Amino acid sequence: LTPPSLHPVLHSPDPPHPLPDTAPGKRTLTTQLTRIEPAENISIDKTYRRKTPMTISQLTLAGQAAFEAYREQLKNVVDAMYK
């Protein structure tokens, strides 16, 4: 058994620090979902389960079609890169 100081890869004196709550781009999933809800690609239901807030999001039929179209476009771009 060797002390942690002999394992520099496993033991770091300076652990990574999390982003502060005010960091740009840090938002909750609910906030991000409510931004894309007006496009009618997802439906959002907010409810409670045992007094705990719960958000249920579901891809609509229009959202499924949009996502499939996006995947096809992305596939075409990747295919074109490797021709």
Side-chain angles (χ1 to χ4, degrees):
L1 204 54
T2 57
S5 60
L6 297 178
H7 299 285
V9 174
L10 300 176
H11 177 72
S12 174
D14 299 317
H17 300 286
L19 288 174
D21 288 340
T22 58
K26 180 172 176 146
R27 292 185 171 75
T28 64
L29 178 61
T30 301
T31 303
Q32 293 175 4
L33 290 174
T34 55
R35 288 181 175 191
I36 61 173
E37 185 180 22
E40 297 182 359
N41 289 334
I42 63 167
S43 65
I44 299 175
D45 294 321
K46 295 184 180 187
T47 186
Y48 288 88
R49 178 183 285 173
R50 297 187 194 125
K51 298 183 182 179
T52 303
M54 183 173 65
T55 301
I56 301 171
S57 58
Q58 185 175 4
L59 204 55
T60 63
L61 292 176
Q64 290 174 11
F67 183 68
E68 286 300 320
Y70 168 75
R71 286 185 58 206
E72 188 63 32
Q73 290 173 353
L74 189 58
K75 181 183 177 300
N76 292 338
V77 168
V78 172
D79 289 346
M81 289 173 49
Y82 291 104
K83 282 189 177 180

